C-alpha cells in the first residue's frame, strides 16, 4: 500500500519488565489526517518517535509505500520522507518567521530569492499574515508560531508529517484552525498526516481515529 504501514510493531526499553508498545498494526494513507489519542503514559510519544524515524521498533517493522524502513535507511527517511511538528514548535528563536521557513529550502540548495519566494507561498497556505513574516518567534502568538512550524514542514517537501500534540498550547479557536489547515494540506497536497494527541476534540477532527491504551492500538 501507499503511505505508512505499521506491521506488528513493538517497542521495549532495555531491562524493562514489559514493552511500551505491543503488536501494533495500522495504516496511514496519503491525502488523510489520522489521529492517535491516548492518556499520558500510554506510549504516544514512543510511537511518534518510531513514526518520525527517531528510533526503531524492537519488534515488527514500518513500511513506506510498501518498502520496509530499515535501520540503515533512517537518516534518509528523516531527510526525505518525514517532518515533525512539535508541541514546542522548535523554531529558531533568533530567526524571523520567514527565515525559519527558508531554512530547509536553503539547505536544499535554493538561492535566497528562490527560498523566500517559496517560503511566502507556504506561509500564505497556512494563513499567516504578511505583516508577521519578519517577526521573531517570541513576538508571535502560539497559534502564529504553530503556523510557521507547519509552513517549515511544507518547505521540507516531505510526504509524511508527524505532529506531536500540535494544538497542545493553543486555545479552542486556534486548535480548530490548525486542524483545518492540516486537513486542507492533506487533501490538496496528498500528504500523509498523523497527529498524536491527548485531546478528544482534536482526535475527532481527524478522518481516521486510533486510540492507544496500555501499549495497544485500536481503530475507532
Amino acid at each position: 500500500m501507499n503511505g505508512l504501514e505499521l506491521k506488528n510493531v513493538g517497542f521495549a526499553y532495555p531491562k524493562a519488565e514489559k514493552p511500551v508498545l505491543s503488536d501494533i498494526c495500522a495504516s496511514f494513507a496519503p491525502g488523510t489526517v489520522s489521529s492517535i489519542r491516548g492518556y499520558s503514559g500510554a506510549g504516544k510519544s514512543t510511537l511518534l518517535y518510531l513514526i518520525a524515524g527517531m528510533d526503531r521498533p524492537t519488534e515488527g517493522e514500518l513500511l513506506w509505500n510498501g518498502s520496509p524502513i530499515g535501520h540503515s535507511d533512517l537518516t534518509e527517511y528523516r531527510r526525505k520522507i518525514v517532518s515533525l511538528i512539535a508541541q514546542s514548535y522548535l523554531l529558531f528563536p533568533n530567526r524571523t518567521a520567514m527565515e525559519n521557513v527558508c531554512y530547509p529550502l536553503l539547505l536544499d540548495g535554493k538561492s535566497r530569492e528562490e527560498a523566500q519566494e517559496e517560503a511566502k507561498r507556504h506561509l500564505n497556505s497556512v494563513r499567516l499574515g504578511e505583516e508577521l513574516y519578519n517577526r521573531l518567534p517570541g513576538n508571535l502568538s502560539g497559534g502564529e508560531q504553530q503556523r510557521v512550524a507547519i509552513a517549515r514542514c511544507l518547505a521540507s517537501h516531505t510526504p509524511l508529517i508527524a505532529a506531536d500534540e500540535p494544538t497542545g498550547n493553543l486555545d479552542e479557536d486556534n486548535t480548530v484552525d490548525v486542524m483545518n489547515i492540516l486537513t486542507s494540506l492533506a487533501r490538496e497536497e496528498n500528504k500523509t498526516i498523523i497527529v498524536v494527541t491527548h485531546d478528544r476534540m482534536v482526535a475527532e477532527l481527524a478522518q481516521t481515529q486510533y486510540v492507544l491504551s496500555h501499549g495497544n492500538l485500536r481503530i475507532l
Side-chain angles (χ1 to χ4, degrees), residues 6-24:
L6 278 60
K7 195 171 181 180
N8 306 112
V9 166
F11 185 85
Y13 291 104
K15 299 181 180 179
E17 292 184 5
K18 60 180 182 178
V20 180
L21 303 172
S22 180
D23 199 29
I24 288 180

Side-chain angles (χ1 to χ4, degrees), residues 132-176:
L132 304 177
Y133 288 2
N134 293 318
R135 289 192 187 180
L136 295 174
N139 295 322
L140 298 173
S141 70
E144 290 162 352
Q145 289 184 64
Q146 194 61 288
R147 285 170 171 76
V148 176
I150 295 170
R152 188 173 62 181
C153 274
L154 294 177
S156 299
H157 296 293
T158 60
L160 171 62
I161 294 176
D164 182 13
E165 300 280 5
T167 62
N169 296 323
L170 306 181
D171 59 28
E172 185 172 331
D173 288 343
N174 275 307
T175 290
V176 173

Side-chain angles (χ1 to χ4, degrees), residues 44-102:
K44 300 192 304 299
S45 293
T46 301
L47 182 55
L48 185 77
Y49 293 154
L50 298 181
I51 290 170
M54 299 169 69
D55 214 333
R56 59 175 179 157
T58 51
E59 293 183 358
E61 60 182 355
L62 281 74
L63 299 93
W64 176 253
N65 289 344
S67 298
I69 304 163
H71 178 61
S72 60
D73 302 324
L74 282 184
T75 299
E76 190 79 351
Y77 173 75
R78 288 192 298 264
R79 190 168 73 87
K80 292 188 175 180
I81 303 299
V82 62
S83 294
L84 177 66
I85 301 174
Q87 182 177 357
S88 55
Y89 317 129
L90 296 180
L91 300 175
F92 297 114
N94 296 320
R95 298 189 183 191
T96 65
M98 171 64 72
E99 289 169 338
N100 267 278
V101 181
C102 282

